[in-house]
Amino acid sequence: MAYLDHVQHCNHRDMTHFRRFIVGGRAVGWVRDDKAAALDGLHPALRMAEDAVVLTLADDTPEARSAVMAEVVTGLVQAGALPRERQELYAVKASWAGPEIMRIDRAAISVFGLKAFGVHMNGFVRKSDGSLHLWVGRRAPDKAVAPDKFDNIVAGGQPAGLTLFDNLLKEAAEEADIPPPLARRAVPVGAITYCFDGRHGLKPDTMFCYDLELPEDFVPVNTDGELSGFTLWPVEDVLAAVRDTDDFKFNVNLVILDFAIRHGLLTPDDEPEYEALLLGLRQPHP
Amino acid sequence: MAYLDHVQHCNHRDMTHFRRFIVGGRAVGWVRDDKAAALDGLHPALRMAEDAVVLTLADDTPEARSAVMAEVVTGLVQAGALPRERQELYAVKASWAGPEIMRIDRAAISVFGLKAFGVHMNGFVRKSDGSLHLWVGRRAPDKAVAPDKFDNIVAGGQPAGLTLFDNLLKEAAEEADIPPPLARRAVPVGAITYCFDGRHGLKPDTMFCYDLELPEDFVPVNTDGELSGFTLWPVEDVLAAVRDTDDFKFNVNLVILDFAIRHGLLTPDDEPEYEALLLGLRQPHP
């Protein structure tokens, strides 16, 4: 394996199986052929065009779109095309700073190939001997996605109605018991973009990344059951695991590689994949 | 003005005026129509094809290519298509880590639209009150490119035969009198890519970026005449100047924006251009 394999894995897709999803006259997502078939006839507001699925409403407001999409998602679950609703609304936007186009249950985001946003935090410790360590979480065995895989100390999808930083503070408290005064020291350091063909459809994701330097005596504790524990790893061991294994959740590898690049743990003189990694971590979505 | 204007400025080009430059059977660069006309008939080893300029050698080694290209560059200067040679060789590569395809005088890099590499260093000071300051250089008034504009404390093109880090140490000593033991603390933090249509042709550039935290009492002194002086600016003032003016050299704006993103001075919750900037700073070359 190589670092770049993880980037390629997170961007594996064949767009010939997708058609555009049009809302308010704008292409906002992508629907895979199998899901287009499941959507055909499911709701009168969803019109099947030759090369697109079009949400067609007389009253074309974000609120009206959200109400119809809630019915559509329920219909998909009833038809067996989605396992369940997540009961958590995501805001649909063309970019994080853009206006809300509508809201939709998190479970259906990929069915419509909508952009999803999330926050990931690197919790690191600079020991008194100068060595850099990263807190690594292990995902609970009952997680639907990537059970038992290693994860960042804090990570979470972005629900509608919260700022990214407030979401980070909430997740930091729930996932790692980091008190808000400490979590507030987290520094936004960029974002990673990728897009792959997932179980239910396209995943054009943007992960906003944060670094938090933690005191040597801080020990994270999971409070929401999402993680089964934490270990403080020397950063060199983390990088070796990223390079040689699939032990980390697929997209967490990318967050760690971005951390390694920003902190000079990978260097352009020594790492042949350096430039390919840099471009690979920030790919425009289709 | 806006931050993003600088990104767009550094990527302004119309590829319809360019044809490929082929060396050893590989497309390694681009030649603009006016330069293709100047090259036509200049040297027997340069073959003009319909949509490409092809370096054609019986003995197709890096050394033989370099020897021929030296003759070509001299011919361009004699023909008035280039003002002068720089007497500094650049290595031609498809990526920094890749093998040398040949060497060519720095002055002719853009005539053939070859990838150029460089190093840029952010020299910053964290004052005792916690505030962040950046050392800003002013380019000498007699510089051919961007005279009198503001610059990073250390920056330089990448000559053949040096590692990036050794080049950084050399430039740090020459441009800012930073002693090697201090300069060696510089941390590689990524790279910025851009590509624009310049005076003599295409500029597909990669700037490797370094951060160096400097002690509060260090004062840079230019020793090579490239800069007329240095000032320590509060980082907020640097960002305001980047946002509102063209006072910084065109590509230095990008280095500062990358610094601002990595250090949390721009945040995704507050900066509407955040995602566009992130993608804009790392664009694949054509």
Side-chain angles (χ1 to χ4, degrees):
Chain A
M1 287 200 61
Y3 295 130
L4 211 48
D5 292 344
H6 297 295
V7 173
Q8 282 156 357
H9 182 70
C10 286
N11 287 282
H12 185 75
R13 59 181 187 265
D14 175 356
M15 295 309 293
T16 62
H17 299 301
F18 290 87
R19 63 196 75 188
R20 299 308 311 241
F21 176 47
I22 312 286
V23 177
R26 282 176 59 185
V28 300
W30 298 89
V31 180
R32 204 171 53 201
D33 294 343
D34 59 322
K35 296 297 177 187
L39 289 167
D40 197 0
L42 195 72
H43 195 287
L46 273 190
R47 192 166 59 78
M48 298 294 132
E50 183 67 38
D51 54 353
V53 177
V54 186
L55 184 64
T56 313
L57 292 175
D59 171 32
D60 201 9
T61 62
E63 295 73 21
R65 294 168 188 159
S66 303
V68 162
M69 292 306 289
E71 295 170 5
V72 168
V73 173
T74 302
L76 282 169
V77 174
Q78 285 168 352
L82 256 189
R84 64 185 174 96
E85 284 154 272
R86 295 281 293 265
Q87 307 296 350
E88 183 183 348
L89 289 176
Y90 269 22
V92 176
K93 302 175 175 186
S95 70
W96 172 251
E100 278 196 26
I101 295 162
M102 61 184 182
R103 293 186 178 192
I104 186 171
D105 190 275
R106 176 177 184 171
I109 279 282
S110 66
V111 173
F112 295 95
L114 301 164
K115 277 178 191 277
F117 304 90
V119 292
H120 280 249
M121 193 170 83
N122 302 289
F124 69 97
V125 175
R126 213 179 287 277
K127 295 213 172 177
S128 43
D129 63 4
S131 65
L132 200 61
H133 287 61
L134 260 182
W135 277 105
V136 172
R138 185 183 275 273
R139 296 168 65 82
D142 59 353
K143 292 283 282 185
V145 175
D148 277 327
K149 295 276 186 184
F150 293 125
D151 204 336
N152 293 115
I153 186 173
V154 171
Q158 182 63 31
L162 274 185
T163 66
L164 295 166
F165 202 67
D166 284 342
N167 188 32
L168 187 78
L169 297 182
K170 178 178 84 67
E171 295 284 349
E174 290 172 6
E175 293 203 336
D177 202 20
I178 305 177
L182 177 54
R184 251 187 269 278
R185 294 187 207 159
V187 177
V189 290
I192 290 162
T193 50
Y194 60 82
C195 179
F196 66 94
D197 184 356
R199 189 147 57 112
H200 297 297
L202 202 69
K203 299 265 298 165
D205 286 358
T206 300
M207 296 187 288
F208 293 98
C209 299
Y210 295 79
D211 278 5
L212 176 61
E213 181 164 359
L214 289 161
E216 236 180 295
D217 60 358
F218 174 80
V219 178
V221 178
N222 181 257
T223 72
D224 65 0
E226 305 257 323
L227 296 166
S228 58
F230 294 96
T231 320
L232 187 63
W233 290 29
V235 75
E236 294 77 14
D237 295 354
V238 175
L239 272 178
V242 167
R243 187 188 59 219
D244 300 333
T245 77
D246 277 324
D247 292 348
F248 281 84
K249 187 189 165 204
F250 57 97
N251 57 1
V252 172
N253 292 291
L254 275 50
V255 178
I256 292 167
L257 287 167
D258 177 73
F259 179 87
I261 287 169
R262 287 183 295 99
H263 287 267
L265 306 166
L266 299 180
T267 81
D269 279 318
D270 299 317
E271 175 48 56
E273 296 178 333
Y274 196 82
E275 289 168 80
L277 284 171
L278 281 169
L279 294 183
L281 294 173
R282 291 198 200 150
Q283 302 194 28
H285 291 146
Chain B
M1 288 199 62
Y3 295 129
L4 211 48
D5 292 344
H6 297 296
V7 174
Q8 283 156 356
H9 182 71
C10 287
N11 287 282
H12 185 75
R13 61 181 185 264
D14 176 356
M15 295 309 293
T16 62
H17 299 303
F18 290 86
R19 64 197 73 188
R20 299 307 312 240
F21 176 47
I22 312 286
V23 177
R26 283 175 59 185
V28 299
W30 298 90
V31 179
R32 204 171 53 202
D33 293 343
D34 58 322
K35 296 297 177 187
L39 289 167
D40 197 0
L42 196 70
H43 195 288
L46 274 190
R47 194 166 57 77
M48 298 294 131
E50 183 67 40
D51 55 352
V53 177
V54 186
L55 184 63
T56 313
L57 292 175
D59 171 32
D60 202 8
T61 62
E63 294 71 22
R65 294 168 188 159
S66 303
V68 163
M69 290 306 289
E71 295 170 4
V72 169
V73 173
T74 302
L76 282 169
V77 173
Q78 285 168 351
L82 257 189
R84 64 186 173 96
E85 283 154 273
R86 296 281 292 266
Q87 308 295 350
E88 183 183 348
L89 288 176
Y90 270 22
V92 176
K93 303 175 175 186
S95 70
W96 173 249
E100 279 196 25
I101 295 161
M102 60 184 183
R103 294 186 177 191
I104 185 172
D105 190 275
R106 176 177 184 172
I109 278 281
S110 65
V111 173
F112 296 94
L114 301 163
K115 277 179 191 276
F117 304 90
V119 292
H120 280 249
M121 191 171 86
N122 302 290
F124 69 97
V125 176
R126 215 179 287 276
K127 294 213 172 175
S128 43
D129 63 4
S131 64
L132 200 61
H133 287 60
L134 259 181
W135 277 106
V136 172
R138 186 183 274 273
R139 296 167 66 81
D142 58 352
K143 292 282 283 184
V145 175
D148 277 327
K149 295 275 186 183
F150 292 125
D151 205 335
N152 294 115
I153 187 174
V154 171
Q158 182 63 31
L162 274 185
T163 67
L164 295 166
F165 203 67
D166 284 343
N167 188 32
L168 187 78
L169 297 182
K170 178 179 84 69
E171 294 284 351
E174 290 172 5
E175 293 204 333
D177 202 20
I178 305 176
L182 177 54
R184 252 188 269 277
R185 295 187 206 158
V187 178
V189 290
I192 290 162
T193 52
Y194 60 82
C195 179
F196 66 94
D197 184 357
R199 190 147 56 113
H200 297 298
L202 203 69
K203 298 266 297 165
D205 286 358
T206 300
M207 296 186 288
F208 293 98
C209 300
Y210 296 78
D211 278 4
L212 176 62
E213 181 164 359
L214 290 161
E216 233 178 298
D217 60 357
F218 175 80
V219 177
V221 178
N222 180 257
T223 71
D224 64 0
E226 306 258 321
L227 296 165
S228 57
F230 294 97
T231 320
L232 187 64
W233 290 29
V235 75
E236 294 76 14
D237 295 353
V238 175
L239 272 177
V242 167
R243 188 188 58 219
D244 300 332
T245 77
D246 278 323
D247 291 349
F248 281 83
K249 187 190 165 203
F250 58 96
N251 56 1
V252 172
N253 292 291
L254 276 49
V255 177
I256 291 167
L257 287 167
D258 177 72
F259 179 88
I261 288 168
R262 287 184 293 98
H263 288 267
L265 307 167
L266 298 180
T267 80
D269 280 318
D270 299 317
E271 175 48 56
E273 295 179 334
Y274 195 82
E275 289 167 81
L277 284 172
L278 282 169
L279 294 184
L281 294 173
R282 291 198 201 150
Q283 302 193 30
H285 291 145

